[in-house]
Each structure stands twice: as C-alpha cells, then as structure tokens.
Amino acid sequence: MFRCLLFLFSLCLFSLITASSIRTACHDSERSALLQFKKSFLIHESASYEPSAYPKARRWKLDKNGNGGCCAWDGVECDNNTGHVIGLDLSSSFLYGSIDSNSSLFQLLHLRRLNLPDNDFNGSKIPSAIGNLSRLSHLDISFSAFSGQLPSQVLKLSKLVLLDLSGNELELQRPGLRNFVEKLTNLKELNLNGVHISSTIPQNLGNLSSLTSLSLSNCSLQGPIPASIGELTKLKHLGLSHNQFSGQIPSSLANLTQLTYLSLSFNSFSPGTLSWLGKQTQLNVLYVEQANLYGEIPSSLANLTQLTDLSLVGNQLFGQIPPPLENLRQLTFLSLDSNQLMGPIPFWLGNLTRLTVLDLGQNKLQGQVPKSIFNLVNLIVLCLNSNDLNGTLIFESFLNLKNLTDLQLSDNNLSVLTNITINGTVPKFRNLELASCNLLEFPNFLHEQDDLLILNLSGNKIHGQIPKWVWDMSKESLSFLYLAGNFLTGFDKPIFPMTNLRLLDLGNNSLQGSIPIPPPSIIIYNVASNSLTGEFTPLLCNLPSLAYLGLSHNNLSGTLPQCLANLSESLLALNLRRNNFVGSIPKLCTKGSELRMIDFNQNLFVGQLPRSLANCVRVENLNMGNNQLNDTFPFWLGKLPELKILIVRRNQFHGTIQEQRGISEFPKLQIIDLSFNRFTGKLPSQQFQNWIAMKVVDAANLSYLHANSDVKTQNFNVTTVFLYSVTLTSKGTERDYEKIQDFLVAIDFSSNSFDGCIPENIGNLKALRLLNLSNNALSCRIPPSLGNLSNLESLDLSHNDLSGEIPKELLQLTFLGFFNVSDNNLTGQIPQGKQFATFENKSFGSNPGLCGKPLSKTCTMFQVSPPPLSSEEDDSQEPLVEFDWKIILIGFGGGLLNGLAIGYMYTPLWFRTYLRRMQRK
Ligand SMILES: *[C@@H]1O[C@H](CO)[C@@H](O)[C@H](O)[C@H]1NC(C)=O
Ligand SMILES: *[C@@H]1O[C@H](CO)[C@@H](O)[C@H](O)[C@H]1NC(C)=O
Ligand SMILES: *[C@@H]1O[C@H](CO)[C@@H](O)[C@H](O)[C@H]1NC(C)=O
Ligand SMILES: *[C@@H]1O[C@H](CO)[C@@H](O)[C@H](O)[C@H]1NC(C)=O
Ligand SMILES: *[C@@H]1O[C@H](CO)[C@@H](O)[C@H](O)[C@H]1NC(C)=O
Ligand SMILES: *[C@@H]1O[C@H](CO)[C@@H](O)[C@H](O)[C@H]1NC(C)=O
Ligand SMILES: *[C@@H]1O[C@H](CO)[C@@H](O)[C@H](O)[C@H]1NC(C)=O
C-alpha cells in the first residue's frame, strides 16, 4: 500500500516537471506518424522481460480538438526550437508485432535517438527504410526479436554514436563488420553481442578511434584478434567472449589503459599469459575463462586495484596464488576454479572482505583451510572442492557467514565435524556439498534446512538406517540428493515425500529389502551395489521422467515386467548388471527410444534377444553377456547407427557369423565380445571390411565412453555422466573395466568353434588393442598382416590348430604386452627381440615344432629358415617400449562412484542469473 502511494507521488512529480518544460507544439504529421506507429502493435505483457516494463505508448492520444502535444507524451522528445520529434524511447513497452519499411516510424525524419529495446518485433527484418533516419546518433534495438541480415542502408547512418543490436537473431555478413568499420566512424558504443558475423575482426578496426565500448561476444568471430585493437585507446568496455578466436591474445591490449571491463572468455586462443596486464588500473571486471591461459597468475594483476570481478576459470594456470593479489581489496567475485594451482590457500584471502563468491575448486591446493576465510562475512558461495586440502574443520566456523548459500568442500582430505553442539543459526543453504568429508552421521543442522536444492553427502562413513527426518528436510526444494558410498542399510520410512527430487544416488551402500520407489519427479535413480532383493516392481514403470535406472550389483530376481517397454521411451540408460533376473528379455524400444545403454550382463535371462532391439536407434552399449540366451548372431542390429559396444559373452549363441544375405554394417562398433558361445563356421572377413570404427585410430580424445543426461532446474543445470563399464578378457584374465577409454577397440571371439583361416584383412582393423581368438579350431598360418595392428596390446591365439611360423612382422607390434600362441602346431623359430624378448615360455607352450628363446629348445639348421640378419642385435636389445599400455588399461579404480559424476563451476554470467532468480524468489 505504502509503496503504491509512493509510486503515484513520483509519477505526479514527473508529469509536473515534463509539463512545465514542454512549450513547443507538435508537428501534425509527426503526431499522426506516432499514433500510427503505436496502432501497428499489440500491447502484450510477454513482449518485454524487464521488471520495470510498462506500456509507455498507452496514453498517447489526441485531445478533444483533435490535437495533442505529442511532445509531452511518454517516451517522446522534441526539439525545443523546431518542435520536431528528435527522440523516441519505447524501451520495455510491451510492443508486439512486425515492423516493415512502410512503418510510419520512418517518417520521423528528425529522429536522433531511437530506443526500442526489450520489445517483441516478431522476427522482423530491420527495414531498409532505416536509412531514411540519417540524423540518428543513437539506435538501440537490443533484445527485440529482430532477425535476418542487416540492410546496407544502416551504413548511411554515419552520425551514429551508439549502436546496440545485441540479443537479436541478426546477421552481419553482407554488409559485414568491415563495412561498418569503414562507414560508422563516429561510433562510441557498439554492441553486436549475439549478431552472427562469422568473419575475422578487420585490421582497420583502429578506424573506430572514438570507441569507448565494444561488445562482440558470441558473434562466431574467427581468426586472430588484430593488434590494431590496441589503437582503440579510449575503450572502457571490451567484450570478446564466446567466439572462435585463434592465435595469441594480442599484447597490444596493454595500451588500453582506460578499460573498466574486459572479457576474453571462451575462445580457442593459442596458449598464452596475462603478462600484458598491469596498466589497466581502472579495470573493474576481468573475465578470461577457458581461454587457454597457462603459466603462473602474473603478480602484475595486483596493479588492478579497482577489480571487483576476476574469473580465470578453466585454464591451465599453475603455481601458487600470488601474494600481491592481496591488493585487490575491491574484489567481490573471485573464481579460479579448474586450474592446476598449488600451494596453500593464502591466509590473506581473509582480508578481501568484500568477496561474495570465492571459487577455488578443482585445483591442487594443499594444506589446511585458513581460519581467515571465516572473516569473509559477505560470502554467498564458497567452493574449495576437489583439492588436496586436509585437516579438521569445525562446522560452527561457518556460522559467521550468514549469507552463505553454497558451500562445496567435497573431495579433499578434510574431516568436517558437524555434530558437536552448534550455538547459533546455521545459514540456509541451497547447495551443500560435503562428499568425502569423513562424516559419521547425518549432520543435525540439516533438520532446519528447508531450502536445499543440492545435498551431497556421498563417500562418507554414515552407518545404519536413514532417519525419517532426512526425507522431510527441504522436501519441497531438494532436487539432487547424493548419498552414495556410505554404509546405509535402509529407511525408517520407505517413502519419499520430496516433490522435486530429480536425482537420487544411493549406490554403494548396504540397503536391504525391495527396491525403494522414488517419487514421480525422479530423473536419475541409482541404487546400484547394495543388497536389494525381490523383483523388478512394475511401479518403476510409472516414473514418467526416468532417464537413468541403476539397479546393478544387487540380488534382485524374478522376471522383468512387459511394462519396461513403456519405460524405455524416456529412459537413457538401464543398468541391471549382476543380478538374478530370469525369464526372457522384454520387448524394449517398441515405441521409439532414447536408450543409449542397455546393460543386462550377468543375469539368468533365457531365450532370444527381442527383435525390437533393432528399434533402439540411439543405443551405443548393448551388453547381454553372462546369461543363458539361445540365439543366432544378431545381424539385425547391424543397422544401428550408434552401436559401439556389443557383448553377448558366455551365453548359448550359435550358428555362423558370416552373413548370408543383406548387409550389416556396425559402423561405430569398437568392442565386440562373442566369447564362450557355440558359434561355428569361418571368421567373417566380409564384416571386418565394414567395421569402420575399428580402422581409425583416434587417441586424441582422451575421455571415456559414456552417456550424458542434463537435468535442468530453475537454478542449476547438472550434467550427469554415466560411464560405460565392461568385463573383458585382456592379457589372459577377465577384468572389469569400470571406465572404458574412448580408444579401446577389442574383438573377443574366444572359446567358440570357429574354424578356417584367420582372414588377412583383420590386419586392416588398425585401431585394435585387444584381439582374442583363442580356444577355437582355427587353422592355417598366422597372417603376417597382424603386424599392421600397431596399437595391439594383447593378442591371444592360443588353443587352435594354427601352423607354420610365427610371422616376424609381429616384431612391429611395439605395444604388445601380452602374447599367447600356446597349444597350436606352430613351427620354426620364435621371432627374437623387441617385445618378444619379454614373453615367457607359457606364451609358446605345446607347439612341438617351435624353437628358440624363451623355449629351451634351440633351433637346428634344418628346422628353420635362416633368422633375419638383424636378429643377433635385436636379441641383445632391451625392449624398446616402456609398458605405458599398462597405465592406459589400469588407469581406473576408485574416483567416481558408480560412474555418476557431478560437475559445475561458478562463472560470473551464470552466477548472476542464479542470483537474480534467487532474489526474485
Ligand atoms: C508474427 O509472425 C508470425 C509468423 O510470421 C505471423 O503469423 C503473425 O501474424 C505475426 N504476429 C503479429 C502480431 O504480427
Ligand atoms: C507498403 O505499402 C505499399 C503501398 O501502400 C504496398 O504496395 C506494399 O506492399 C507495402 N509493403 C510492405 C512490405 O508491406
Ligand atoms: C602502444 O601504444 C604506443 C603509442 O601509441 C605504441 O608505440 C606501442 O607500439 C603500442 N604498444 C602495443 C603493444 O601495441
Ligand atoms: C604496476 O604499477 C606500477 C606502479 O604504478 C608500475 O610501475 C608498473 O609498471 C605496473 N606494472 C605493469 C605490469 O604495468
Ligand atoms: C590482513 O589480515 C590479517 C589477519 O587476517 C591481519 O593481521 C592484517 O592486519 C590484515 N591486513 C590488512 C592490511 O588489513
Ligand atoms: C547479507 O545479505 C543481506 C541481504 O542481501 C545484506 O543486507 C547484508 O549486507 C549481507 N551481508 C551480511 C554480512 O549479512
Ligand atoms: C537353443 O535353441 C534351439 C532352437 O533354436 C534348440 O534346438 C536348442 O535345444 C536350444 N538349446 C538350448 C541349450 O536350450
């Protein structure tokens, strides 16, 4: 009420002032042009976003004489002497509708200032009649739903001082940025954020020597930033983020000493430093995120004493946080997340008392959390997660930080003591991450938390039943709950009253009883690696948004319900690995499907693979191994465009795998495991031709095979990564690959009844790392083409009827760490030297005709063809290659729990949005 009165009062005041200052009459033609312009739009509240928006033109009208002092209308400005309309400001005015060259707007030929931001012009092109308004000095049409290429007539507006086209779907190609720079030389402020330019920045940029503000973010700009940018010495604001710039950040930026704002984030610069910074003593905001910075943070940053925002997220910065930065007393936002910073968290950080965001997560910081941090009473966000911090933190210390809503301490070596008596009020958290913090109980203070969005208590030492109150805490807000990797046994109350729960991770605990049913809002649900029993209840089929269902490694039994077919419409990944499910596999993907992963490995399924699997068009990982399936080779899966992993090991598959008719392609197949079945016939040389993904070595991409799921809530987007895992035979033993390197390529056809020769063209599958053809009835010689498989790490041909010599081409396999040809009819001399010097007797046993090292049987002249001339030398050589393949293969274990990972970091733009939303709330 009070507020309303105040508002009215200020309106009165406003009209008093304007009425007294407007004496001049309004030209009839301009008045009618204005009215016509107003009439050409609908007033629509959804057309403007700004909270301050209102329909400025609503009260424009003629008086009873048919006149009207349009100069007094809201948003209209006239020249005091001539009475011509020289300014029109209809920003945030709920205007909705199209605009074209016929618009009466273009009759206002005296316009100098035109402001139309934050309306909805419905995808209109900028009309070419804009060229009529040649007196324009200010043109702002930002965020107003214009689209298309800018007309060349814009170049006629040579008096422009301010041009803001940001936040539209505009293109600036013909004419392009170069033409702008040539013609609009009076510009002081140019904002083209989001305009699709996709060219380089022209060299003649220096022409715009009056510029004080240049915004070219998200414009698809390429190539190097020209050094001439250093000629724009009046620049205060320079935004170049989110482009595809290459080359170095130009050191000529050093000359821009007036800068107050500089953003270079999210570009693909060549590795570089910020050593050119230091003279920009006016700088308030510096964002250089994901811009390939390396080296130490330069101490010269300490010169920038006016900095309020500093973000260097996601670079390769190393070394310590330099002490001179203590000078930056104005800092409110400091984010150095995701670098390689080392050393302690500096004590002096506690002197930067204006900080609201301090994000040092995902570095290599060591030592204890300094007490001085608790002086930062304005902190809203404190992220210290994923470092090497140690020591004990008493939770009470955080009570000082009354505005703290986001606290991330996960994944250090910290012990956080939460359950000593806390005197005082605990801040209300939105995001609380205390994974691997040595907690022994659910922290008591959670009782009072009613606004949590994310709670992560994974990897602690919490034992026993989950108390009832845990489910009542923040029950309307909590969206992500991570409790994996504790010693939880069950629930006091097996229902979830939470209405917004999107992700629940209870994996790696000791839960007993039947599968707990999550609330309908759930998207990602993981209860893998527990001791759950009972059946797959059809209630799970009723979860409308379920994308990930992880039930693996439990003692679940019974048959799967047919309703799973419905579930597979929303489901991305279904993991039932290692349970005791029986019966046949239900028809999945009957109605289209998003499924990327179907892992039914190690159950007791019988019968055939349902043919509906051929509809799982997005499936990448199909694992049906270790069941009792009785089927022929699924050629009919060969058209699946994404299938990377196909595993049917240890079943009762039979028949040949040589395709008779039709073509199956398996274009992306990289792991195929048919071992321990009853396949017969020849190896499929025809198929080998088709397996394209096995021919291309791509080791550049050092990540793991996975599927992603993005969960969006109002404030957070959380990407969850599901890493695929498989059990494969490698180096003669079965092993679990908890993560699979992107480049792992494997064929395992072992323990079947294949016969005939090994096809020569298997040597074309150059990306192969594991090849296992053991325990079959293969005959003929070992094809020398195997020597082309230069990435091969494990080769097992044992227990066959192979004859002839071991081809010396195999000496080229410099990564070969495991080799077994025992139990064949091979003859002649074992190749000597290189990797072969590392293989033991058992690699060659039970081949009566073989001789030479490591066997004790020496080769006589009559048995062998003469060894290659170089063999004497080779014999004495050390193995050329260190066994780095071991690192590649064993580089897993621990780390991610159940392949579920969470990751986000604070970047300024994102944080602003987050804060705004919170404030509105
Ligand atoms: C907005 O554009 C759409 C599609 O071009 C058109 O159908 C609709 O009539 C336009 N609305 C207005 C108010 O101009
Ligand atoms: C502009 O008006 C003229 C005449 O009134 C008409 O012929 C033409 O189609 C109009 N153009 C547009 C783009 O509406
Ligand atoms: C900075 O400006 C000075 C004077 O205009 C010029 O001589 C110098 O080359 C510029 N430095 C860089 C790095 O561009
Ligand atoms: C930092 O400021 C000092 C003193 O104003 C000045 O001498 C020095 O050159 C500046 N450093 C850099 C890198 O510009
Ligand atoms: C910085 O903080 C430390 C303790 O946190 C204090 O002793 C020192 O006086 C502070 N320095 C300044 C300049 O405030
Ligand atoms: C915390 O937030 C409130 C409200 O935004 C603000 O008034 C206050 O100054 C902030 N700082 C502290 C230390 O409470
Ligand atoms: C597998 O199925 C075939 C028919 O397709 C049948 O003849 C055979 O007995 C089955 N084998 C087993 C072990 O069930």
Side-chain angles (χ1 to χ4, degrees), residues 275 277-279 300 303:
S275 54
L277 270 172
K279 284 189 243 150
S300 58
N303 274 13

Side-chain angles (χ1 to χ4, degrees), residues 285-491:
V285 174
L286 176 61
Y287 300 146
V288 193
E289 308 176 279
Q290 287 198 34
N292 223 351
L293 295 178
Y294 80 98
E296 305 202 6
I297 299 176
S299 296
S300 58
L301 275 186
N303 274 13
L304 316 180
T305 53
Q306 301 303 311
L307 273 185
T308 58
D309 290 48
L310 173 60
S311 180
L312 304 176
V313 163
N315 288 292
Q316 288 109 49
L317 298 168
F318 53 78
Q320 304 208 3
I321 302 174
L325 294 194
E326 186 181 354
N327 270 357
L328 306 180
R329 294 299 169 103
Q330 307 299 319
L331 273 184
T332 61
F333 187 107
L334 176 58
S335 183
L336 304 174
D337 200 297
S338 300
N339 281 287
Q340 317 276 331
L341 298 170
M342 291 171 299
I345 296 179
F347 195 77
W348 51 259
L349 270 180
N351 287 354
L352 307 182
T353 50
R354 298 196 175 194
L355 281 176
T356 58
V357 174
L358 176 58
D359 181 359
L360 304 176
Q362 312 197 67
N363 279 288
K364 296 174 172 169
L365 299 168
Q366 295 140 356
Q368 309 209 341
V369 176
K371 289 207 171 55
S372 62
I373 292 289
F374 302 111
N375 298 341
L376 301 175
V377 293
N378 289 306
L379 279 184
I380 299 172
V381 174
L382 177 59
C383 302
L384 305 176
N385 57 300
S386 305
N387 280 289
D388 297 325
L389 303 171
N390 57 32
T392 300
L393 271 182
I394 299 173
F395 200 78
E396 207 165 6
S397 320
F398 292 98
L399 301 195
N400 247 356
L401 314 182
K402 304 232 178 302
N403 284 0
L404 199 61
T405 64
D406 186 339
L407 175 61
Q408 301 186 28
L409 301 174
S410 295
D411 303 322
N412 284 287
N413 303 313
L414 292 170
S415 295
V416 180
L417 299 184
T418 55
N419 278 6
I420 46 175
T421 338
I422 294 181
N423 292 322
T425 330
V426 178
K428 295 265 187 211
F429 291 107
R430 296 286 284 160
N431 181 13
L432 182 61
E433 304 217 16
L434 302 176
S436 305
C437 284
N438 289 303
L439 301 180
L440 302 174
E441 291 173 78
F442 285 97
N444 274 328
F445 72 84
L446 289 177
H447 268 292
E448 280 82 49
Q449 295 290 321
D450 54 14
D451 208 18
L452 277 168
L453 191 71
I454 301 180
L455 176 63
N456 188 346
L457 302 178
S458 290
N460 282 295
K461 296 169 180 162
I462 307 178
H463 286 256
Q465 299 274 100
I466 302 173
K468 177 174 167 301
W469 64 263
V470 168
W471 305 115
D472 285 325
M473 156 203 69
S474 298
K475 69 180 171 196
E476 272 148 33
S477 58
L478 196 65
S479 297
F480 302 89
L481 178 57
Y482 300 85
L483 299 174
N486 282 287
F487 303 95
L488 302 169
T489 54
F491 306 82

